[in-house]
Structures are given as structure tokens and as C-alpha cells.
Amino acid sequence: MRVVVLLGAPGAGKGTQAPLLATRIGIPVVATGDLFRAAVRDGTPLGLEARRYMDAGQLVPDDITVRLLLDRLGRPDADDGVILDGFPRTGVQARALDSALADRDSSVCAAVLVEVPAEELVRRMSGRWVCRAAGHPYHEVSSPPRSPGVCDLDGSELYQRADDRPETIRARMAQQLGALGEVVDHYRASGVLRAVDGLQSIAAVASDIATAVAAAGLAPRASVAKPAAS
Ligand SMILES: [Zn+2]
């Protein structure tokens, strides 16, 4: 079983890249957030356990997350491997994953970091504005309103939610980058870390990620070279 870990700060484009890579190399993306939701929805024993913590507003303990993950890795579609998105988030989780995989004679074969400078992340994350009347979303860079500060659709004033203000984002980012740094250090130490430049176009980042995982023995599926039939 080949396990690829996709790493990147919020706003680095990891969520866009994970499905592109999955299509390219033909193994599924496993996002821990989805695993929690599915286990809770299906009412599995682990789901019920996870739910107790979520209901109490606490983080789900790492051992529950790892057990959910191992369950998922046991399904047939994961026979050739998986791309992990959203886990591990800390050095402790990275070590827990290593030992769980080692029990199955497996290991993380590539940890790909989509690298974007912190200030660029803040710029990407903090450009969101919404309108007072209906919450129509805008973005300073990617989808600005026709006239500054006014909703195109209803003419109401645009404002920034507290969560979207640069100072809030910067504080949250510092915390998240600290935890990401631990995970990056962990995989650098075990020799499987590959960094790609996340400032490039989506297609160029996707291609660099594919090259990085190919170096770890995960080649693109032959069928991907052909354009999809329409
Ligand atoms: Zn509006």
C-alpha cells in the first residue's frame, strides 16, 4: 500500500490539487474531515466515539482518527494506495501514522508540500468580502465587484467578516504554520519530503506534484494521457 501525504497551509491550493492527483495516479483521496462525517452519519462505533468529542467541542483524539484512517485503508479501493488530505496535522499525528502503517508493513512513500509564502497565504485568504443584504461573496483579487465596496447584484455595502480580516488570518496562520512545520520536519527527517512551488498556475503545480510522486514510484495511469471522450 502506497501512502502519499499532501501538505500545505490553508490557501495553498491543496484542496484543488488532491483530486487532480487522484485522477492522475488512480488512487483515492482520503480526507479525514470526510471520514469523521461519514462515520458519524453511519453511526459506527468509532463514529459514535468521535461524536462524543465533537459534541463537546473537543478535538477528536489522534488514536480515534488513526483507527478511522486504518479502517478506510482496508477498503478495496485503497488497495493501490491513498492520498491523505488533512492528516497528519501535527508531529505527534505523523508519528502515530508511521507506527500504524509500520504494523501493516507499510509507510508514507511521499509527503508533498505545496509551498506558498505566508504573506501570500494571508493575501489569498483575507481578500474575501460579502454584501450586507445577502452575503454575496467577492474577492479582492479573483472576483472583485464592478464598483469597489458595492454588491453587483443588489447594490448593498460590502464588508469583511472578522474571520476574513488580515489580522485575524495572520494570527490563525501563525498557529497553523507552526503545526505544519512539525509535520514537514518529520517527513524531511525520514527522507520522503518533496516541496513544490505553490505560486505557479494550478496546472504547473499539478504537474510538479505528479513528478514528485512519480519519483516515489507512483506513475500516472496510462489512460490519463488521452483526453477524456466527450
Ligand atoms: Zn449582494
Side-chain angles (χ1 to χ4, degrees):
M1 140 123 27
R2 287 159 309 177
V3 177
V4 176
V5 172
L6 208 48
L7 298 171
K14 189 167 60 75
T16 306
Q17 294 295 334
L20 296 177
L21 179 63
T23 307
R24 200 152 183 155
I25 62 178
I27 64 178
V29 177
V30 171
T32 40
D34 297 342
L35 284 184
F36 287 143
R37 278 185 289 277
V40 168
R41 188 193 56 220
D42 299 344
T44 65
L46 275 175
L48 294 175
E49 229 178 304
R51 191 187 183 140
R52 284 214 319 265
Y53 293 94
M54 292 156 83
D55 285 349
Q58 293 168 341
L59 287 176
V60 178
D62 292 343
D63 71 298
I64 296 184
T65 309
V66 170
R67 276 151 64 206
L68 270 174
L69 208 58
L70 290 176
D71 266 8
R72 178 65 186 84
L73 300 189
R75 293 206 212 135
D77 69 327
D79 280 353
D80 289 335
V82 292
I83 299 160
L84 291 187
D85 178 11
F87 191 89
R89 283 188 198 279
T90 64
V92 172
Q93 290 182 346
R95 288 189 289 278
L97 178 65
D98 278 0
S99 66
L101 290 174
D103 288 344
R104 307 182 150 205
D105 293 321
S106 181
S107 62
V108 170
C109 66
V112 184
L113 170 66
V114 181
E115 221 168 10
V116 174
E119 268 315 296
E120 170 63 13
L121 293 170
V122 171
R123 198 182 65 88
R124 287 183 186 182
M125 301 287 290
S126 64
R128 289 183 197 147
W129 293 73
V130 293
C131 83
R132 296 249 179 234
H136 295 125
Y138 294 88
H139 191 279
E140 280 167 22
V141 181
S142 54
S143 57
R146 281 195 296 272
S147 48
V150 181
C151 181
D152 292 349
L153 300 171
D154 51 42
S156 73
E157 182 201 14
L158 302 184
Y159 73 103
Q160 249 186 336
R161 293 190 185 114
D163 263 7
D164 294 334
R165 287 182 201 135
E167 59 274 21
T168 317
I169 306 256
R170 212 168 269 126
R172 201 166 55 213
M173 192 71 72
Q175 210 171 21
Q176 287 160 336
L177 289 180
L180 176 63
E182 282 178 24
V183 179
V184 167
D185 288 347
H186 176 86
Y187 290 121
R188 186 179 285 124
S190 54
V192 296
L193 185 76
R194 310 259 189 283
V196 305
D197 177 3
L199 288 176
Q200 310 173 90
S201 68
I202 289 173
V205 173
S207 157
D208 282 2
I209 293 175
T211 305
V213 300
L218 285 155
R221 291 186 302 178
S223 60
V224 175
K226 294 179 219 145
S230 52

